[in-house]
Amino acid sequence: MGQAHSEEVRSKEDIAAELAEKFARKCFEPLELYCFKDNFRSLADHEQHIRYLKEDVIAKFLELPDVLNVSPVVFQMLSYIGAFPFLEDAPAVLGFEQMIVCVAILTDRYTKSLAKGAATRRKLLFKSMAVYDRKLSEIEKRPASPTVEAGEDDAMAGRSHAPGFAVDEAGDDDDDEGVEDADDDELVLAALDSLDLNDSFKTGDLHAASTHGAMIPADNFRRLIMLLLLIAPLSPPGNILDGLRDTANSILSSLINVERTPGITFAQFQRILPANLPFLFQGFNALFEHFLFSRNLDFTKKHKWTKSGSDIDTTASPPPSPPAIRRVRTSSSSLPPLLPDKGQHILNPNIVSQLSFFIPGNELFRRLRLLYSGADAGFSMGSFETKVFNWRAPTLLLVSGTRLTESSDSHHHAQGAEGSFMDSLPPRRFPDGSPAGRSEDRVVFGVLVKQPWRAAHRECFGDSDTLLFQLSPVHDVFRASVVNQNYVSFAKTPAAFPGITVGCPSPKAATQSRHPTIRTLGPVSLVIDSSFEFGVFTHDYTSRGGAFATSSARRYDFQDRFQVEDIEVWGCGGDEEAKGQRERWEWEHREAEARRRINLGTGDREADRALLEMAGLVGNNRSGGSMN
């Protein structure tokens, strides 16, 4: 009875303050908490003994660019998350306790305090950006209008690009409503459980702000994506705003058909982000850790740093700065450049940020080295091999091109190299992967390969960590299968179909095809011909099988045939990897030179072979060239 009575008199304000104190104690280092308090005191406004932060103050402190007009979106998110765990009371006034909760959640530090709920953070972020509008909800439920001309084949109409977006499919959101009830409040309940509260505090209106009928306005999310692209590298170059909107539009296009849909539903958000953009919100960590470093901190004075509840005494030397603070304080001039500043390439700072949304940033930022560029080294497989082979670290292959429309590659019009390439493709062609338009005619595809490149005449190389992806005009990621291992092939003449293939059967299997003059394309695959002039990306959603998974965003068949503009390969590594590649090339050159200079002339083939084995040039799995 005493315990029940004690909990009955505790108000929501008391519980929220207790949770904030727990976050402060478990999620922050003493020095970080000291800096947080100092920043809050210097930034807060006063009103009737209440100290709180305003939107313009937060925007200025975080240095949010005015040109993006993103501060209202960020402030809406903070005002919602600040009400945690009583989200039905949002928006919250952003006082000290509310900001502690916001920073702990937005930097993922809350996981140090809450054992459960990590999986539902994405839902909390969705709700913090969503609006509840009856008109939007009606548009959401409206069935897609036909986009194909009357008289076209019904099957082709079903594969048209426009209805393929998940938001346009009737009943799509209903599939997730049952799941929502099961996990909607996991994060909230984990927070209340951590405070040892009884069920009387868990039976309130926790579903007041459900995801049913909610949408993130497309323009708001576009602005947030642009901010996340901007802050992803931590120290971006000054001209990073160039092309920022185009990159954001490619990412937004993986979620919605921008021309027809006003906002993003939770069904899309929940399904597409884990597959295509798992690290989208990683940039929040560095952004909101700005609150954990104070410019007023004087390290020349001696302080004593101890935790006493939420209080900190200052009478002795501070401990070493936590990693987050050291990173913020590091001068950008001491860091290597984000990318080599040499000419125009497919890969630019915006694309690097886009890649970091599905590839861990520690594999990308300041670790990329240009190994091969067709524009610089020549468009040939020989140049590619010379520049890329013997690199013993992950590589990124990027190819850009101009899409060939169905009319332009008609057999009645295509001639020469283009006609030969088109003739090698299966006659059945799927619709384009996105609506035709000036900007949509340029496509960018890529593949992340963790294994070294090598000639593959019998089997493919790569592993289950290989990633096939599209960056423009639609952002999409196709993850590798663990069963079908037809990942990557590099085959030169005399292979039946020389070139680079990703997701296609091995060259040996292709030569055994029933139609030896027609390429065998994988269900989800990328093909670049041996002249590096033309390419084709295929997404056979109907077949479902293959070396790479089908799209979580575009659930229909499509194919993009394109004329190559440029091909690049970037090595994910530094000077050590470059030195190792150089040493391996030098060793191979010496071996080849030694073989060339040998002039035995005995006429005894067996004796010649014995001498070569003694020299270590054949045997022990070394071919040493032909003995015929």
Side-chain angles (χ1 to χ4, degrees):
M1 293 294 293
Q3 177 70 16
H5 177 73
S6 174
E7 291 186 347
E8 287 175 3
V9 298
R10 295 169 66 184
S11 64
K12 288 183 178 180
E13 290 76 11
D14 293 336
I15 295 172
E18 185 179 343
L19 180 64
E21 191 276 331
K22 184 174 183 179
F23 277 169
R25 186 176 66 253
K26 292 191 174 184
C27 302
F28 303 106
E29 298 294 331
L31 179 56
E32 292 176 325
L33 190 55
Y34 175 87
C35 293
F36 186 95
K37 288 186 173 184
D38 183 71
N39 282 324
F40 185 83
R41 281 194 298 266
S42 62
L43 298 173
D45 279 77
H46 303 259
E47 187 173 335
Q48 297 181 352
H49 306 292
I50 298 176
R51 301 170 70 92
Y52 63 97
L53 300 184
K54 293 182 178 180
E55 176 185 332
D56 58 335
V57 172
I58 293 175
K60 184 177 180 180
F61 177 75
L62 296 178
E63 300 180 356
L64 303 181
D66 293 337
V67 68
L68 297 185
N69 193 27
V70 73
S71 62
V73 181
V74 174
F75 189 75
Q76 176 186 332
M77 295 180 66
L78 293 174
S79 299
Y80 183 86
I81 297 173
F84 186 86
F86 302 108
L87 299 173
E88 68 273 13
D89 295 335
V93 176
L94 296 180
F96 180 80
E97 288 83 5
Q98 289 74 24
M99 287 302 300
I100 283 285
V101 170
C102 287
V103 173
I105 290 177
L106 289 173
T107 60
D108 271 335
R109 290 167 177 253
Y110 73 96
T111 55
K112 297 179 181 180
S113 177
L114 303 182
K116 301 179 181 179
T120 56
R121 175 178 177 263
R122 191 182 305 114
K123 179 169 288 188
L124 179 64
L125 294 177
F126 175 86
K127 289 183 178 182
S128 71
M129 293 179 278
V131 298
Y132 297 82
D133 189 299
R134 180 173 298 178
K135 293 182 179 180
L136 289 181
S137 181
E138 291 173 355
I139 294 175
E140 170 195 349
K141 297 179 181 179
R142 189 180 303 163
S145 57
T147 58
V148 293
E149 296 181 3
E152 285 192 30
D153 182 78
D154 291 340
M156 180 63 72
R159 292 193 303 268
S160 173
H161 63 260
F165 286 91
V167 73
D168 299 320
E169 298 177 2
D172 180 62
D173 292 335
D174 295 337
D175 295 339
D176 291 280
E177 287 181 9
V179 177
E180 175 187 342
D181 292 337
D183 69 356
D184 189 36
D185 303 309
E186 182 180 341
L187 195 59
V188 172
L189 294 177
L192 296 178
D193 285 338
S194 71
L195 300 176
D196 297 324
L197 296 173
N198 65 21
D199 291 339
S200 64
F201 288 95
K202 306 173 186 178
T203 57
D205 190 14
L206 295 179
H207 291 274
S210 70
T211 59
H212 183 64
M215 273 190 175
I216 302 175
D219 188 57
N220 285 5
F221 201 63
R222 180 188 293 108
R223 284 181 278 167
L224 188 68
I225 292 173
M226 293 172 70
L227 173 66
L228 292 168
L229 286 168
L230 187 65
I231 64 178
L234 296 179
S235 299
N239 63 349
I240 198 170
L241 286 176
D242 296 343
L244 199 60
R245 186 177 182 86
D246 290 339
T247 306
N249 281 336
S250 296
I251 295 173
L252 190 62
S253 294
S254 72
L255 291 159
I256 59 172
N257 185 330
V258 181
E259 296 179 357
R260 293 177 43 195
T261 309
I264 302 160
T265 66
F266 180 69
Q268 292 175 280
F269 199 81
Q270 182 77 334
R271 185 183 66 254
I272 296 174
L273 259 67
N276 287 1
L277 303 159
F279 310 126
L280 176 64
F281 298 111
Q282 198 70 27
F284 280 153
N285 289 16
L287 181 66
F288 287 96
E289 281 178 354
H290 279 71
F291 282 101
L292 306 181
F293 171 71
S294 173
R295 297 179 180 177
N296 300 324
L297 189 62
D298 188 353
F299 284 95
T300 62
K301 297 181 179 180
K302 290 187 176 181
H303 303 275
K304 180 181 179 181
W305 307 85
T306 58
K307 287 182 180 179
S308 176
S310 60
D311 298 324
I312 292 182
D313 299 324
T314 60
T315 56
S317 299
S321 301
I325 294 180
R326 288 199 299 270
R327 184 166 65 248
V328 173
R329 298 180 66 224
T330 300
S331 171
S332 59
S333 62
S334 65
L335 296 172
L338 185 67
L339 286 174
D341 187 16
K342 296 180 181 179
Q344 297 294 321
H345 299 292
I346 303 173
L347 193 65
N348 57 45
N350 293 331
I351 297 299
V352 174
S353 295
Q354 182 180 359
L355 290 170
S356 74
F357 291 166
F358 61 94
I359 300 173
N362 57 3
E363 297 184 13
L364 295 173
F365 297 136
R366 301 179 177 83
R367 285 185 53 79
L368 292 175
R369 179 183 296 265
L370 182 61
L371 302 180
Y372 167 80
S373 170
D376 299 334
F379 293 91
S380 74
M381 296 191 72
S383 297
F384 185 103
E385 181 178 1
T386 301
K387 299 288 186 178
V388 177
F389 280 35
N390 283 324
W391 180 266
R392 296 293 190 264
T395 52
L396 278 168
L397 180 147
L398 300 175
V399 55
S400 64
T402 302
R403 190 161 55 194
L404 299 170
T405 62
E406 191 165 2
S407 58
S408 69
D409 69 11
S410 168
H411 292 289
H412 297 290
H413 298 87
Q415 299 177 356
E418 180 180 344
S420 299
F421 178 71
M422 297 304 170
D423 288 339
S424 72
L425 300 180
R428 182 189 182 195
R429 174 171 178 172
F430 298 137
D432 293 335
S434 60
R438 178 180 298 180
S439 61
E440 284 76 11
D441 286 341
R442 182 177 185 269
V443 294
V444 179
F445 296 97
V447 58
L448 171 67
V449 184
K450 296 292 185 73
Q451 292 186 351
W453 284 77
R454 57 182 173 84
H457 294 285
R458 294 182 175 273
E459 59 184 15
C460 298
F461 61 91
D463 55 27
S464 58
D465 290 328
T466 306
L467 283 179
L468 177 61
F469 53 86
Q470 181 176 2
L471 298 178
S472 179
V474 178
H475 176 101
D476 219 335
V477 179
F478 313 92
R479 300 189 179 274
S481 166
V482 296
V483 178
N484 187 321
Q485 298 182 356
N486 294 326
Y487 300 125
V488 185
S489 170
F490 181 93
K492 299 170 67 176
T493 305
F497 298 104
I500 296 175
T501 63
V502 182
C504 294
S506 64
K508 180 180 179 181
T511 60
Q512 300 172 350
S513 169
R514 295 182 180 179
H515 306 283
T517 60
I518 300 296
R519 291 178 181 268
T520 302
L521 303 179
V524 180
S525 60
L526 174 67
V527 172
I528 303 171
D529 74 335
S530 60
S531 65
F532 290 179
E533 291 185 78
F534 301 99
V536 57
F537 180 86
T538 302
H539 181 263
D540 187 351
Y541 183 80
T542 305
S543 69
R544 297 282 180 157
F548 294 91
T550 53
S551 171
S552 61
R554 293 176 286 179
R555 301 190 286 188
Y556 56 94
D557 301 336
F558 66 86
Q559 186 179 80
D560 283 326
R561 302 181 181 187
F562 58 93
Q563 184 171 2
V564 173
E565 294 177 351
D566 202 359
I567 300 179
E568 297 172 1
V569 178
W570 293 80
C572 302
D575 294 338
E576 183 177 348
E577 287 81 3
K579 179 181 178 182
Q581 184 192 39
R582 185 169 57 253
E583 290 175 347
R584 281 182 285 273
W585 275 124
E586 291 173 352
W587 180 87
E588 291 187 5
H589 178 74
R590 291 194 300 270
E591 291 282 286
E593 189 68 15
R595 290 190 197 77
R596 188 181 67 81
R597 291 180 178 179
I598 291 178
N599 184 13
L600 299 174
T602 65
D604 186 339
R605 186 174 183 277
E606 294 301 326
D608 290 351
R609 181 173 182 85
L611 288 174
L612 289 173
E613 288 180 348
M614 290 174 61
L617 299 179
V618 299
N620 297 325
N621 298 322
R622 295 181 181 175
S623 65
S626 174
M627 287 292 297
N628 295 324

